[in-house]
Amino acid sequence: MESEGQSRAETSRSSERRPRVRRNVTAAIAQDICADRYPSGSPLPRENDLCELYGVSRTVIRESLKVLESKGLVRGKPRVGTTVCDRDEWNILDAEVLDWMGPYIKDFDLLGCILEARRTIEPAAAEYAAERASAQEIADLDRAWRQMRDSAGEPESFTDADVMFHTVLLTASHNQVFRRLSSAIHAALKYALHASNIAVENREDAVLVHGELVEALRMRDKTGARECANRMLDLAVRDLAAAEKVIGRTK
Amino acid sequence: MESEGQSRAETSRSSERRPRVRRNVTAAIAQDICADRYPSGSPLPRENDLCELYGVSRTVIRESLKVLESKGLVRGKPRVGTTVCDRDEWNILDAEVLDWMGPYIKDFDLLGCILEARRTIEPAAAEYAAERASAQEIADLDRAWRQMRDSAGEPESFTDADVMFHTVLLTASHNQVFRRLSSAIHAALKYALHASNIAVENREDAVLVHGELVEALRMRDKTGARECANRMLDLAVRDLAAAEKVIGRTK
DNA sequence: AGGTAGTGAGTTTGGTGATCTTCATCGCGG
DNA sequence: CCGCGATGAAGATCACCAAACTCACTACCT
C-alpha cells in the first residue's frame, strides 16, 4: 500500500537533509494529474480515498487540493467532489505547475507555444534591456555567457547557463510581466533542449550570438540587441525542431 | 459584496458560525499584504495569532498560507515563521493575485508594465489570430465589439465588452502562453481605465479600430490585424496617460 | 394508477480544536 | 567557548461537528 514509490528522483540537488518528508504530496497529485492518471475533466477520488492512496492524513490532502485549486488544476465544488480542470484553465505560467508537468510538457503542445511567445517577447525584452539594464545585470549576463562558452563538454552546465542568461535578460528588461515569463522559458529550455541534448550542434553559434547580445546591451544598442535576440531565437527554433524529431522518434 | 468590512480582523470571537471562510480569509490576508499592512520582506504574525486576528481556526490559516505561498506572496520556513516575499517574487500573472492587488495595483508600477507587454504581445497575437481564429471566435469578437459599440452611456458595459474582446483575441491566437496573459490585461483594464472612467473620450476611435480588427481577422489579413492592434494600443497608451494624470491628481 | 414533488437519510466537503512530533533558536552550564 | 537541553512555533494527525448536496423513497395530486 505504500504507493510512495511513485515519486521521481526528487531533485536530489542540494537537498541538505531529508528530515522533512511528504509535505509535497501536492507534487505527487499534480504529477499524477499531468500523467493523465486522473483524466482531465473528470473527478478525483474522494478526499478520504486520497488519504489512503498517498498515505497521509486528510488535512494534508486538503491543503494540497487547495494549492492545486489555486493554480487552476482542479476545481473543488462544495460537496460534490474535486474535478480536474481542462488544461487551458491551468496556470501554465506558474513555475510550480511547469515543474510538475515536467516530462509531460511535450504532450501539451506547450513547447511550440512557449517558443512562439519567446519569438515575440524576447526581442522586445532585449530592446528594453538595452536601455534599462543595470551594470550589475550586464555583468550577470556576461558571467552566464562565459559559463556557456566555457562549458564545453557538459550539456548540463551549458543549459543551466543558458537558462540563467535568459532569466537575467528578462529581468533586465525591467518589465514585471516579462520577468514572470522566465519560468516558462526555464521549463522549455530544461525539458526540451536539455532533455534531448540536441543543443550541442548549435552550441558554437549560440555562444556567439549570446555574446553579441551582451555586447549590444553594453553599447545600449537597442536595434542591435533586438537583432541578436532574433538570431538567438532562430537557433532555438532549429533546436526545437530537432528535439521534436527526437521526441517523435522516441515515442 | 466584499464590503464586508474586512479592513482589519474585526471578526475575532464575536462572529458566530461562518461557512465558506477559507476563501475570504485567504483574500483578506492577501489584501492586507498588498495594503502593506504586513510589510514586504518581514515576518507575518504567528499562525496562532493569525487565528485570533482573523477569527478562524489554525487549519484554515494554514491552508490560506499554503495558497499564498503557492502564489509567491509569502514564504514559510519550517519552524521560524512565514515572511512576506519581495514583490518581484509574486506571481503577478495569476488572476487571483491581480484581483487581490486590486486597487493597490497602481502602487506597483504594474499598469505600465502590462501596457508595455500588451504593446509587444497583442499585435503578435492578432497576427496569429488572423490565421488561426475559428469562426466561433470571430463571432465572439464581433459580439464583444457590438456590445462596445452599443454601450453608449454605460462605461461599465463598455469596459466589460473591452475586456471580453481582448480575452477572446488572445484566446484566438491559439497560443497558451498568450492566452494566460488575459488575466493581466483584464486587471489592467478594470483597474486603470474603468476605475478612472477616462476611456469615454477615446471611445469612438476605440470602437472603430476594434471593428477594423475584427474585419481584418475575418479577411485573414495578418498585417492588417497587426496594424489594427497597434493602433488600438496607441489609444490604450493615451488612456493610461490620462488615467495616470487623474491618479496623480487624486493622490 | 402513474408521475412528480417534497422530504429525509446518507454522504462528502468545510471548519474546529486538541494533541503529538519535530526541529530551530536561545540561554544555561560544563 | 562549546555543546546541550528547554522552549516555542510550525508540521502533521485525529476526532468531531456543521452544512449542503445526492439520491431514493414515499406520498400526494392529477
Side-chain angles (χ1 to χ4, degrees):
Chain A
M1 289 314 167
E2 305 308 330
S3 59
E4 207 173 46
Q6 64 192 335
S7 63
R8 331 281 176 268
E10 289 261 330
T11 60
S12 54
R13 178 194 84 82
S14 88
S15 66
E16 295 84 356
R17 298 171 197 157
R18 294 198 28 129
R20 292 274 55 84
V21 272
R22 290 281 155 233
R23 209 193 100 162
N24 292 8
V25 179
T26 311
I29 301 179
Q31 284 164 358
D32 283 346
I33 290 175
C34 292
D36 235 31
R37 211 183 125 176
Y38 302 126
S40 130
S42 271
L44 248 64
R46 295 164 193 83
E47 289 186 356
N48 277 319
D49 294 342
L50 288 171
C51 294
E52 299 230 341
L53 281 171
Y54 293 91
V56 290
S57 79
R58 193 160 85 98
T59 311
V60 174
I61 291 289
R62 282 178 52 190
E63 286 177 358
S64 296
L65 290 182
K66 294 297 177 298
V67 171
L68 258 35
E69 186 175 2
S70 85
K71 292 182 186 299
L73 268 70
V74 303
R75 188 195 319 277
K77 270 170 294 182
R79 261 102 208 149
V80 277
T82 310
T83 66
V84 181
C85 287
D86 224 38
R87 283 182 180 133
D88 56 343
E89 297 182 63
W90 295 13
N91 218 332
I92 56 164
L93 299 181
D94 184 286
E96 269 181 296
V97 174
L98 259 345
D99 214 42
W100 295 329
M101 291 200 291
Y104 312 103
I105 208 170
K106 59 183 183 302
D107 304 330
F108 282 77
D109 290 341
L110 247 187
L111 295 179
C113 288
I114 292 175
L115 186 55
E116 225 170 69
R118 288 182 63 192
R119 274 211 87 91
T120 303
I121 288 161
E122 281 198 272
E127 198 171 319
Y128 287 127
E131 51 184 357
R132 298 176 189 167
S134 71
Q136 179 63 53
E137 284 156 353
I138 291 182
D140 288 345
L141 279 171
D142 196 64
R143 209 172 21 158
W145 172 68
R146 277 173 213 276
Q147 187 182 331
M148 287 176 71
R149 188 194 55 188
D150 297 340
S151 65
E154 314 129 289
E156 186 81 23
S157 169
F158 181 83
T159 308
D160 285 354
D162 198 9
V163 169
M164 173 65 72
F165 188 98
H166 291 276
T167 301
V168 177
L169 176 64
L170 289 182
T171 304
S173 77
H174 286 263
N175 179 304
Q176 303 180 61
V177 177
F178 289 169
R179 191 186 186 292
R180 271 285 120 191
L181 294 170
S182 61
S183 49
I185 294 179
H186 179 288
L189 288 173
K190 183 171 174 194
Y191 291 109
L193 308 186
H194 170 250
S196 57
N197 266 354
I198 295 294
V200 194
E201 55 197 53
N202 289 331
R203 207 182 67 85
E204 287 296 325
D205 296 337
V207 170
L208 215 68
V209 181
H210 281 70
E212 286 175 36
L213 176 52
V214 174
E215 196 54 34
L217 293 185
R218 208 175 259 130
M219 296 298 171
R220 306 286 172 191
D221 175 8
K222 283 163 61 172
T223 60
R226 173 179 283 272
E227 164 75 15
C228 287
N230 272 317
R231 276 189 289 149
M232 228 163 51
L233 287 161
D234 289 338
L235 295 179
V237 171
R238 285 225 305 264
D239 284 347
L240 180 61
E244 266 173 353
K245 233 168 54 185
V246 171
I247 288 172
R249 214 188 306 143
T250 313
K251 252 195 317 202
Chain B
M1 300 298 189
E2 68 247 310
S3 59
E4 207 176 314
Q6 48 193 304
S7 60
R8 200 53 179 167
E10 270 302 311
T11 54
S12 41
R13 281 293 163 191
S14 54
S15 79
E16 53 282 347
R17 289 279 175 233
R18 292 201 314 170
R20 53 182 66 67
V21 173
R22 206 243 336 150
R23 219 179 157 79
N24 295 323
V25 171
T26 309
I29 299 178
Q31 283 163 358
D32 282 347
I33 289 176
C34 290
D36 238 30
R37 271 193 275 273
Y38 302 127
S40 127
S42 271
L44 248 64
R46 292 155 194 88
E47 289 186 356
N48 278 320
D49 295 341
L50 288 171
C51 295
E52 299 231 340
L53 281 170
Y54 293 91
V56 291
S57 80
R58 195 163 151 243
T59 309
V60 174
I61 290 289
R62 296 195 72 234
E63 285 177 359
S64 295
L65 289 181
K66 278 214 154 196
V67 170
L68 258 35
E69 187 176 0
S70 86
K71 293 183 186 299
L73 268 68
V74 302
R75 188 195 316 279
K77 273 175 297 179
R79 267 137 209 96
V80 277
T82 309
T83 66
V84 181
C85 287
D86 225 37
R87 283 185 178 133
D88 57 343
E89 297 183 62
W90 297 10
N91 216 333
I92 55 165
L93 298 181
D94 184 287
E96 270 182 296
V97 174
L98 258 347
D99 214 43
W100 295 329
M101 291 200 293
Y104 311 105
I105 206 169
K106 61 181 183 301
D107 304 330
F108 224 109
D109 291 340
L110 246 188
L111 296 178
C113 289
I114 292 175
L115 186 56
E116 225 171 69
R118 288 182 64 192
R119 274 212 87 91
T120 304
I121 288 160
E122 281 197 271
E127 198 170 319
Y128 287 128
E131 52 184 354
R132 296 177 190 169
S134 69
Q136 178 63 52
E137 284 156 354
I138 292 182
D140 289 345
L141 278 171
D142 194 65
R143 209 170 23 155
W145 172 67
R146 277 174 213 274
Q147 187 182 332
M148 287 175 71
R149 187 193 57 187
D150 297 341
S151 65
E154 317 129 289
E156 186 82 23
S157 169
F158 182 83
T159 308
D160 285 354
D162 199 10
V163 169
M164 174 65 72
F165 187 97
H166 291 277
T167 301
V168 177
L169 176 64
L170 289 182
T171 304
S173 77
H174 287 264
N175 179 305
Q176 302 181 61
V177 177
F178 290 168
R179 190 185 188 292
R180 271 284 121 191
L181 294 170
S182 60
S183 50
I185 294 179
H186 179 287
L189 288 174
K190 183 171 174 193
Y191 291 108
L193 308 186
H194 170 251
S196 58
N197 267 354
I198 296 293
V200 194
E201 54 197 53
N202 288 332
R203 207 183 65 84
E204 288 295 325
D205 296 336
V207 170
L208 215 68
V209 181
H210 281 71
E212 285 175 37
L213 177 51
V214 175
E215 197 53 33
L217 294 186
R218 209 176 258 130
M219 296 297 170
R220 305 287 174 192
D221 175 7
K222 284 164 58 171
T223 60
R226 172 180 284 272
E227 164 74 15
C228 286
N230 272 318
R231 276 190 289 149
M232 227 163 51
L233 287 162
D234 290 337
L235 295 179
V237 171
R238 285 225 306 262
D239 284 347
L240 180 60
E244 266 174 354
K245 232 167 55 186
V246 170
I247 289 173
R249 214 187 307 143
T250 314
K251 260 198 306 206

